[in-house]
Amino acid sequence: MTLAHYLFLGSALFIVGIFGALTRRNVIGILMSVELMFNAANINLAAFNRFLAPAGVTGQAVALFIMTVAAAEVVVGLALVLMIYRARDTVYAEDINILRG
Amino acid sequence: MVNLALLRPEFVLSALALALLAADLLTPPGRGRALDWGALASCAATLALVIAGLACAGGHLGLGTLWAVDPFSQFLKIVILGSAILSLLLNLDYEGIPVRHAGSFSGLLLLCTVGMMFLVSAVDLLLLFVSLELVSLSSFVLTGYERASPKSNEGALKYFIFGAFAAAVMAFGISLFYGEARTTLLLSLGSPLGPLGLLGLLFILIGFGFKAAMVPMHFWVPDAYEGAPTPVTAFLSVAPKVAALGALARLLTALVPTRAADLTLLLSILCVLTMTVGNFVALFQRNVKRLLAYSSIAQAGYIMIGIVTADAMGTQGVLLYSFVYVAMNIGAFAMAIALAEDRRRYAAGDPYDLSAFDGLAGRSLPAALAMAFFLLSLAGIPPLAGFIGKFYLIGSAVGTRHYWLAVAAVVNSVVSVYYYMSIAYRMFFVARQREAPRRLSMGVSLYGSAALALAAVLALGVLPDRLVAWVQASAKFLP
């Protein structure tokens, strides 16, 4: 396994995540796609740390912070989705459209 | 060096914010609004700490491991705390916040403020990312705080989806940047960045662009601003913008200068787009919150001129305009809240419709005059504060030979006069609506907040010397 393998995996995950976030109609699906993008960043960070700067731990530390932040992000996001679902019985992005103009 | 002592104001404010959140649980239901005063006092105490740090020469400046506390960040921290105080004042007279857990509302607003204070000091991508997320997460919750209002829910969800996406792209950008530079600390970059680092920097810019509402990343702005409780709109339209643009100015002026990565062309295109789209879409708005949302997009475009030119005058322009922008925009929102709270009492329908301004001069001349001053200042008409700020920004564009930026800014200012003055026209030359009471009743703290903002706009417009001297002393980056 070389650095290139890991970077390929990271970029593929990132692109899958972007594609999902832009095309999903379900808000939960968008949230999952965004998580994929965060994980792509984590894979990159860990791989760069291991192959390019093995003496330090900066990459791993940043990855840990990103995991924490992503978890917090999901908590807030799910709370908002739940609030909308209770009020309107839908989690589909195209139904959430009273604000426009 | 760790130098944690430099961050004393941030620590104090975070402790107070967490204490407020805890106090909210212990307050009897229905009494939560009393904690608003606690939040105001916490902000004032922190502001006093920052100013005390300024007063003792050199004592509170320095570099830490991930942060730099320099005159630049001190100035922006004062501006951010000032806008938090003004928005908390607006909140005192705002009825929309649910009474249950009103204390956690102000706690979250303080946490958002702490995030911005860290953001303007950050010199490491890790701190930059974490503080930007602290700001984002608390603003998502604040936007959706009016749980009973479907608009508030929807605005928060849209804001969240864009925000999460931008944060993920930024995280990926940080990973690429780390791969190129082998470190996330931005202080030791001398050599030009390679393609990987440049790509990373572009992705990081997307994260900033989202927070500062630059044009291709601005779609959330009108919806989130219209949906959010109005004091939150006032806060979000100034503080995170000023903080993100300040951090971006530090990033692109001092940490990654043009010799390491030349983004001037890209940034100037974004800058012109931001000004133009904001102003032209604002022309067609009927709701005052949406109008001010688009106008605030355009205002961020003006501030970006100083980031593109990246010279001393540009940096001073960024600081000066940030200060002025906070005063005039929060002032305009104070008037919008006063009129909407008044209109709720006599008319159905959207309380923020522009027709609420009809005949304001007859109903309350001081309110109409104050609003007119805020609008004139936003449009950049001479003796007022907004003009001084624009003068610096456009001056730096001309000085660094970015003539088309200067031309775009001037043309945009002229366009913006139209929609700002259409509100003034309604206030002075349209008869009041028949159901509207003869006198406008306005809460005391709204008065206070608007008066503070008006004092800033007028004083800076007529006697700008003190502020300009302070700004010139502050436009210094530490490393």
Side-chain angles (χ1 to χ4, degrees):
Chain A
M1 294 285 263
T2 62
L3 179 59
H5 288 104
Y6 288 101
L7 292 189
F8 181 77
L9 175 63
S11 317
L13 263 185
F14 185 67
I15 289 167
V16 169
I18 286 203
F19 182 77
L22 296 180
T23 55
R24 285 269 138 190
R25 294 160 58 234
N26 188 323
V27 177
I28 311 269
I30 299 178
L31 216 61
M32 285 160 68
S33 311
V34 168
E35 288 306 301
L36 284 185
M37 293 162 71
F38 274 118
N39 287 333
N42 287 342
I43 290 178
N44 268 4
L45 282 166
F48 279 133
N49 197 159
R50 165 79 175 70
F51 287 96
L52 297 181
V57 292
T58 316
Q60 297 172 30
V62 176
L64 278 178
F65 272 95
I66 289 181
M67 277 180 218
T68 320
V69 165
E73 195 114 44
V74 169
V75 169
V76 171
L78 285 180
L80 291 173
V81 172
L82 198 63
M83 204 163 64
I84 293 242
Y85 182 74
R86 278 189 188 145
R88 265 188 255 173
D89 249 359
T90 180
V91 289
Y92 285 93
E94 71 265 21
D95 298 334
I96 304 173
N97 57 6
I98 49 172
L99 292 167
R100 45 176 69 227
Chain B
M1 258 191 307
V2 179
N3 256 345
L4 274 177
L6 291 173
L7 295 177
R8 194 175 298 136
E10 282 87 342
F11 290 140
V12 169
L13 192 57
S14 349
L16 289 169
L18 295 177
L20 264 179
L21 286 177
D24 183 52
L25 295 175
L26 306 175
T27 325
R31 305 290 295 278
R33 296 302 288 253
L35 293 175
D36 290 355
W37 292 101
L40 266 172
S42 319
C43 272
T46 316
L47 185 62
L49 261 182
V50 177
I51 291 178
L54 274 187
C56 77
H60 285 278
L61 303 180
L63 268 180
T65 37
L66 308 176
W67 49 86
V69 177
D70 48 13
F72 182 81
S73 70
Q74 297 288 76
F75 184 95
L76 283 175
K77 280 174 197 172
I78 291 175
V79 171
I80 289 163
L81 284 166
S83 61
I85 290 177
L86 288 176
S87 314
L88 283 167
L89 275 175
L90 295 186
N91 183 37
L92 287 178
D93 274 334
Y94 184 76
E95 320 242 312
I97 306 293
V99 184
R100 211 164 143 243
H101 299 309
S104 48
F105 175 84
S106 18
L108 279 169
L109 201 137
L110 293 193
L111 281 179
C112 193
T113 313
V114 172
M116 290 183 262
M117 290 170 73
F118 275 117
L119 183 60
V120 294
S121 275
V123 292
D124 187 291
L125 287 174
L126 175 58
L127 184 59
L128 216 58
F129 178 73
V130 173
S131 51
L132 205 63
E133 282 305 287
L134 178 54
V135 177
S136 297
L137 289 178
S138 34
S139 26
F140 300 148
V141 183
L142 287 174
T143 306
Y145 216 86
E146 271 183 60
R147 263 176 302 180
S149 143
K151 279 188 175 180
S152 180
N153 295 347
E154 180 178 329
L157 189 68
K158 286 185 174 167
Y159 190 10
F160 169 78
I161 290 172
F162 277 98
F165 183 77
V169 173
M170 189 177 180
F172 196 74
I174 290 175
S175 77
L176 295 184
F177 195 94
Y178 173 71
E180 164 91 25
R182 313 272 204 277
T183 169
T184 51
L185 190 63
L186 294 165
L187 290 178
S188 46
L189 297 169
S191 50
L193 285 176
L196 195 60
L198 266 181
L199 190 64
L201 196 59
L202 284 182
F203 282 170
I204 293 170
L205 267 186
I206 291 182
F208 276 109
F210 159 76
K211 229 35 267 173
M214 286 176 201
V215 149
M217 290 80 85
H218 73 288
F219 294 104
W220 59 275
V221 174
D223 291 345
Y225 283 14
E226 187 186 346
T230 321
V232 173
T233 313
F235 184 65
L236 292 186
S237 70
V238 292
K241 225 168 243 216
V242 163
L245 287 170
L248 194 59
R250 177 196 291 283
L251 186 73
L252 296 177
T253 310
L255 301 177
V256 188
T258 39
R259 64 170 188 284
D262 196 356
L263 298 175
T264 315
L265 183 64
L266 173 72
L267 282 171
S268 43
I269 292 172
L270 288 183
C271 170
V272 172
L273 269 179
T274 308
M275 284 189 263
T276 316
V277 172
N279 273 325
F280 278 86
V281 184
L283 291 175
F284 305 106
Q285 298 305 316
R286 300 265 322 148
N287 175 303
V288 66
K289 278 166 96 176
R290 284 186 96 84
L291 186 142
L292 286 174
Y294 282 109
S295 115
S296 78
I297 295 177
Q299 302 282 341
Y302 301 136
I303 299 183
M304 278 180 71
I305 297 177
I307 299 175
V308 175
T309 61
D311 64 340
M313 196 174 180
T315 310
Q316 289 166 16
V318 170
L319 291 179
L320 191 56
Y321 206 79
S322 302
F323 190 102
V324 171
Y325 171 59
V326 165
M328 55 200 187
N329 217 39
I330 291 196
F333 269 110
M335 292 333 232
I337 295 180
L339 285 169
E341 294 290 308
D342 176 60
R343 190 181 156 89
R344 248 187 252 282
R345 282 179 221 125
Y346 67 81
D350 183 9
Y352 290 95
D353 192 83
L354 279 182
S355 61
F357 285 90
D358 287 354
L360 181 60
R363 303 177 60 204
S364 166
L365 190 58
L369 281 177
M371 184 69 184
F373 280 127
F374 295 136
L375 292 172
L376 287 168
S377 179
L378 280 166
I381 305 282
L384 294 160
F387 170 73
I388 317 273
K390 270 194 193 145
F391 178 79
Y392 264 74
L393 291 169
I394 296 175
S396 93
V398 172
T400 49
R401 297 169 181 277
H402 291 89
Y403 295 113
W404 58 291
L405 266 186
V407 171
V410 172
V411 171
N412 268 296
S413 302
V414 174
V415 172
S416 72
V417 170
Y418 173 78
Y419 63 83
Y420 289 131
M421 285 309 106
S422 73
I423 298 184
Y425 173 79
R426 279 175 180 279
M427 292 193 300
F428 288 97
F429 299 111
V430 176
R432 80 182 146 90
Q433 295 193 318
R434 221 174 314 127
E435 316 85 49
R438 191 179 292 275
R439 292 266 152 247
L440 172 71
S441 58
M442 188 170 160
V444 180
S445 60
L446 279 179
Y447 250 122
S449 173
L452 278 176
L454 185 64
V457 169
L458 287 180
L460 302 182
V462 184
L463 307 159
D465 304 347
R466 296 284 292 276
L467 178 73
V468 169
W470 181 31
V471 163
Q472 280 169 349
S474 297
K476 287 191 198 93
F477 300 102
L478 199 60

